[in-house]
Amino acid sequence: KAGVTQTPRYLIKTRGQQVTLSCSPISGHRSVSWYQQTPGQGLQFLFEYFSETQRNKGNFPGRFSGRQFSNSRSEMNVSTLELGDSALYLCASSLRTGSTYGYTFGSGTRLTVV
Amino acid sequence: AQKITQTQPGMFVQEKEAVTLDCTYDTSDPSYGLFWYKQPSSGEMIFLIYQGSYDQQNATEGRYSLNFQKARKSANLVISASQLGDSAMYFCAMREGDGNNRLAFGKGNQVVVIP
């Protein structure tokens, strides 16, 4: 079965622009979580969506937002990009909340802000 | 405060040898889950093994086993019979409580397997 698909794989944006990243979870999975990975801060939780509702949000400014559609696909948006937003953005899907069998991650979107 | 601590420097491991990666965690929640992920240079996070806080036995998945010492808040990953394809970053992660999918990750351990 198809894994978690993240698009695009690579992005280059200019400071001040906005960007939208997409994540299609495994078929049947209803939970999508987003993470930011940087060399300095490591992997940090952004937010989690389950059945189109945001369930959890990490400590990120309001410039970071997300949503989930009825087909469980999720998008995250970053407005007014800053150089520090350059990172690998990973999404993970799971069947439900409180998963005990692990979360399946996508290959990530590597965002470079110049 | 850091929830997950992985302090080992990068490691070189001989092929076919076993390697242990250390992970300590900090939580006051009695219900939590511990995960290990592998991240090769391609960037994808690959799930390896899971241990629940109430599990009585240490988790095992093929060549991976988790040495869970609850009182010490330690969840070390043991990889037996290392293979060249095991070269990657390894991350320990924790989910606190049952009603969420929020993972806190450690900084990771770099492992390089040499022939």
Side-chain angles (χ1 to χ4, degrees), chain A residues 31-84:
Chain A
S31 170
V32 173
S33 304
W34 288 89
Y35 293 84
Q36 180 196 64
Q37 186 176 25
T38 60
Q41 299 298 317
L43 279 147
Q44 294 185 282
F45 173 81
L46 280 156
F47 26 65
E48 175 202 349
Y49 286 87
F50 182 81
S51 293
E52 301 178 65
T53 303
Q54 188 179 86
R55 296 288 299 267
N56 270 288
K57 191 176 193 305
N59 295 325
F60 279 82
R63 300 185 297 106
F64 291 82
S65 63
R67 59 179 176 168
Q68 187 179 34
F69 301 95
S70 57
N71 62 358
S72 294
R73 188 177 72 86
S74 177
E75 289 181 346
M76 66 163 281
N77 185 77
V78 188
S79 62
T80 320
L81 283 165
E82 300 176 0
L83 295 179

Side-chain angles (χ1 to χ4, degrees), chain A residues 31 35 37 98-100 103, chain B residues 37 39 50 95 98 101 103:
Chain A
S31 170
Y35 293 84
Q37 186 176 25
S99 174
T100 59
Y103 305 88
Chain B
Y37 281 88
Q39 187 179 42
Y50 167 82
R95 184 198 64 240
D98 295 320
N101 285 334
L103 296 178

Side-chain angles (χ1 to χ4, degrees), chain B residues 65-78:
Chain B
S65 60
L66 201 152
N67 183 2
F68 182 45
Q69 298 185 46
K70 195 170 181 176
R72 298 180 59 187
K73 292 188 175 179
S74 163
N76 298 340
L77 176 71
V78 179

